Amino acid sequence: MSNAVSTAPGSAVGFKNSKQTEQRKAALAWLTIPALFFFLVFAVIPLAGVLILSFTSWDGIGAIGAAGLDNWFSVLADPGLYNALGLTFLIMIVSWLVQTPISLLLGVFTAGSQRYRAALAVLYFLPLLLSSAAVAIAFKALLDPNFGLATGLGLPFLAQDWLGVPHLALGLVIFVIAWQFVPFHTLIYQGGVRQIPKSLYEAAQIDGAGTIKQFFHITLPQLKYTIITSSTLMVVGSLTYFDLIFVLTGGGPGNSTRILALDMYLRGFRANLMGPASVIAVILVIIGLALALFLQRLGGKDKQGSQLEGL
Amino acid sequence: MSTVLKSNTQEARTGSLGRPASAKRGLGSRLGRLNIPGGLGGWIWLAIIILPVYYVVITSLKTQAGYFGQNPLALPTEPTLENYQSVLEADFAQYFMNSAIVTLGSVIPTVLISFMASFAIVRGSGRFLKLVNGMFLMGLAIPLQATIIPIYLMIIRLNLYDSLLALMLPSIAFAIPLTVLILSNFIRDVPNELFESMRLDGCSEWQTMWRLALPLTRPAIVTVAIYNGLHVWNGFLLPLVLTQSPSLRVLPLGLWTFQGEFSVNIPAVLASVVLSTLPILVLYVIGRRQLLAGLTAGFSK
């Protein structure tokens, strides 16, 4: 592919047929039709539909009737909503605080070249292979006070009624989420660390900076965009921890782990109140969009592409 | 924006090919000095990850008596495969088939139509294409699970409730935005001269797409296929809401109902967990690098 061959005649042809080229380029639009069709029918229309359904009453089987603002008033007056909102944000923030430092350090650790680190990394990533349902079921068995980890390790403090006491269940949910998702973010940080130019460390060494200094002055700043990408995925992803919590606690005990997504499901498909459930869904969409925009702004305008990719 | 996307792509590509080995080595020796606290933390985290996995595997090989009698972390004194047998008798082969059908039936169309759309977005021009691209980018920011209720309504109205097709259609739609983004980043990286020379050879855009762009974007296609495939394979909400027949259960749903029915037989429940993970574990062993690259789908920049 020599330049001489491709540029000279290429530009001549381009000049002659520039109008033709334009047409050719515009004609490509039809290639997007299949993807557009699926996206419009099963994503855009449902998105509009969820807003419309929030103004109706429907039990999931019978006819759909108009309900005006009734659902909105009843949901906004329901303390259950604020409980779910609070829990969603609590789990989001605590999960971020727990997972980010662990993932970052593990990412730096596994980016090292020692053999044993590579071997450890292979095992670290195992939770990525499991479905949320499998993880939740495994942990339920593991936490059995008599036949689980507590007895196995001889650590009686582990023998708690993890799923029966509200604050324990909440802590458990946060732990299991970390267990499941830290590997993913470790992988992201590992990739980020490997992108840092080696020359930066060489220069720092010549200047006599120690490892800790290097970590805070090179690794951490260089990982800025990785941190934003990972955090965006973590925060927006936390809105959809539905399946793990559903299988692990079912939202209980009481409503102590009933996050928004679960609240939506239980109102809609258990209590058969699709109208109020749609209100919750609209709130979820708004929170998701707001968080995405906020985090995107945090990353700066020029990084728009990668920020969006992080969603 | 386009420059940023381009640099992302490059990184994603080297990532998926596992190239930066040399850079890694140099960096590693430097990071190696963080060794003592780092190493300690590394081993602690290993214990946190491995203990549950170990417990699940050994318990799945125990008899009921062994489960109740032995130390929970001891190796089974009389290892047995009878739990696996009872899981297989409980229609797990069927669940496996359903999962495979839904996964392939979602991923293949997703990748195909997203690839076509990406090619058009990168190679074409015009307001329509800009609009389409903008819409897909917006789609990235929306938690699509929140649309489950209208999707349920639509699936009922389309007479698709309780069918495997009902799981595929929304899965395809949900996967399109990210797939288009990643694939268009890669196509944008193909040197323009290559496209020009195809054109001079008299190839149509359609031919160029299949003969030039497709082979050159293969690594990205594998990456997004794995990413989407794992999401569909492990998906829970769509099957929970859109199917009800036992014969149409996919693996995660099968796992959930199985643990409900067999809650007294923990070894069997855990055998079902192991069995449902086995196919992906095999993939992990065969193509770890590719699978991990696929998992992050180019997020690791």
Side-chain angles (χ1 to χ4, degrees), chain A residues 38 42, chain B residues 93-107 109 155 159-172 232 238-240 242-253:
Chain A
F38 270 95
F42 291 101
Chain B
Q94 180 71 49
Y95 304 162
F96 180 89
M97 277 305 294
N98 292 340
S99 278
I101 292 169
V102 172
T103 304
L104 290 176
S106 308
V107 172
I155 292 290
N159 271 328
L160 289 172
Y161 180 72
D162 205 23
S163 71
L164 293 181
L165 189 60
L167 306 182
M168 297 179 211
L169 298 175
S171 300
I172 294 171
V232 178
L238 288 175
L240 178 69
L242 301 178
T243 64
Q244 63 174 172
S245 310
S247 65
L248 290 175
R249 281 175 198 153
V250 291
L251 276 172
L253 197 60

Side-chain angles (χ1 to χ4, degrees), chain A residues 5 8 34 57 71 97-98 126 163 165 194 206 308:
Chain A
V5 176
S57 71
N71 296 323
L97 287 174
V98 171
L126 281 176
L163 298 173
V165 181
R194 286 180 177 168
I206 292 167
L308 278 169

Side-chain angles (χ1 to χ4, degrees), chain A residues 10 33 35 43 84 143 172 198 217 243 262:
Chain A
I33 300 288
L143 291 166
L172 175 68
K198 181 169 85 159
H217 289 97
D243 31 7
L262 197 58

Side-chain angles (χ1 to χ4, degrees), chain A residues 1 6 10 13 21-22 24-26 28-32 34-36 38-42 46-47 49-50 53 58 60 64 102 106 108-109 111-114 116-117 120-131 133-134 137-142 144 147-148 151-153 175 179 182 184 187-188 191-195 198 201 205 211 214 225-226 229 233 240 242-243 246-247 264-265 269-270 274 277-278 281 284-285 288-289 292 302-306 308-311, chain B residues 1 4-5 8 11 24-28 30-33 35 38-39 42-43 45-46 48-53 55-56 67-68 71-73 113 116-117 119-120 123-125 128-129 132 135-137 139-143 145-154 156 158 169-170 172-174 176-178 181 185 193-194 196-197 199-200 203-206 209 234 236-237 240-241 252 255-256 259 266 269-270 273 277 280-281 284 288 291-292 295-301:
Chain A
M1 199 43 46
S6 63
V13 172
T21 315
E22 272 312 301
R24 215 174 133 121
K25 286 194 159 186
L28 280 170
W30 73 269
L31 285 172
T32 61
L36 196 59
F38 270 95
F39 190 69
L40 281 177
V41 173
F42 291 101
L47 204 59
V50 83
L53 283 174
W58 182 40
I64 303 174
I102 297 178
L106 284 174
V108 172
F109 178 72
S113 69
Q114 289 97 324
Y116 85 99
R117 294 188 179 189
L120 289 186
V122 172
L123 299 170
Y124 284 162
F125 298 139
L126 281 176
L128 288 171
L129 313 178
L130 298 162
S131 64
I137 291 167
F139 270 91
K140 270 170 128 172
L142 196 69
D144 187 291
F147 308 108
T151 315
L153 291 173
F175 175 82
W179 191 88
V182 161
F184 177 76
L187 203 53
I188 292 178
V193 171
R194 286 180 177 168
Q195 305 288 342
K198 181 169 85 159
Y201 291 97
Q205 251 181 344
T211 27
Q214 286 181 24
Y225 292 115
T226 313
T229 301
L233 287 168
T240 54
F242 167 82
D243 31 7
F246 178 72
V247 178
M264 172 189 79
Y265 174 82
F269 294 93
R270 287 291 162 85
M274 293 295 183
S278 298
L284 259 178
V285 171
L289 274 173
D302 54 323
K303 295 296 284 186
Q304 235 176 33
S306 66
L308 278 169
E309 185 173 351
L311 303 170
Chain B
M1 176 148 155
V4 178
L5 291 171
N8 270 348
E11 284 151 13
K24 180 176 91 185
R25 188 143 302 157
L27 184 58
R30 224 136 275 127
L31 294 169
R33 305 222 183 97
N35 227 334
W43 288 104
W45 185 255
L46 180 71
I48 293 173
I49 293 295
I50 284 302
L51 261 178
V53 175
Y55 173 84
V56 168
Y67 172 73
F68 289 118
N71 180 302
L73 291 179
I113 64 180
M116 284 164 49
F119 182 82
R123 294 293 302 157
S125 60
F128 177 75
L129 283 173
V132 172
M135 202 167 66
F136 288 155
L137 285 176
L140 289 169
I142 293 160
Q145 284 82 347
T147 60
I148 190 69
I149 294 169
I151 283 179
Y152 170 72
L153 173 62
M154 286 170 67
I156 292 177
L158 290 169
L169 298 175
I172 294 171
F174 289 7
I176 286 172
L178 186 67
L181 180 74
N185 282 348
E193 291 86 58
L194 293 182
E196 275 302 300
S197 73
R199 212 161 64 88
L200 289 177
C203 291
S204 65
E205 290 286 344
W206 177 257
M209 179 169 76
N234 287 335
F236 186 78
L237 181 62
L240 178 69
V241 170
L255 271 182
W256 179 62
Q259 65 111 37
I266 297 296
V269 169
L270 294 180
V273 168
T277 310
I280 298 173
L281 191 68
Y284 188 62
R288 181 166 51 86
L291 186 71
L292 291 180
L295 270 167
T296 49
F299 291 133
S300 49
K301 49 166 277 81

Side-chain angles (χ1 to χ4, degrees), chain A residues 22-103:
Chain A
E22 272 312 301
Q23 278 172 343
R24 215 174 133 121
K25 286 194 159 186
L28 280 170
W30 73 269
L31 285 172
T32 61
I33 300 288
L36 196 59
F37 170 78
F38 270 95
F39 190 69
L40 281 177
V41 173
F42 291 101
V44 177
I45 292 178
L47 204 59
V50 83
L51 187 63
I52 295 169
L53 283 174
S54 75
F55 299 109
T56 65
S57 71
W58 182 40
D59 61 3
I61 307 155
I64 303 174
L69 289 168
D70 289 1
N71 296 323
W72 283 89
F73 285 133
S74 78
V75 169
L76 291 174
D78 178 358
L81 169 71
Y82 302 100
N83 177 55
L85 265 175
L87 280 171
T88 303
F89 281 107
L90 180 72
I91 290 180
M92 179 188 292
I93 291 165
V94 177
S95 290
W96 185 84
L97 287 174
V98 171
Q99 291 182 42
T100 299
I102 297 178
S103 312

Side-chain angles (χ1 to χ4, degrees), chain B residues 4-15:
Chain B
V4 178
L5 291 171
K6 202 168 265 175
S7 73
N8 270 348
T9 317
Q10 232 132 27
E11 284 151 13
R13 185 173 288 175
T14 45

Side-chain angles (χ1 to χ4, degrees), chain B residues 54-65:
Chain B
Y54 169 80
Y55 173 84
V56 168
V57 173
I58 59 156
T59 308
S60 74
L61 297 168
K62 282 179 180 170
T63 57
Q64 281 269 52

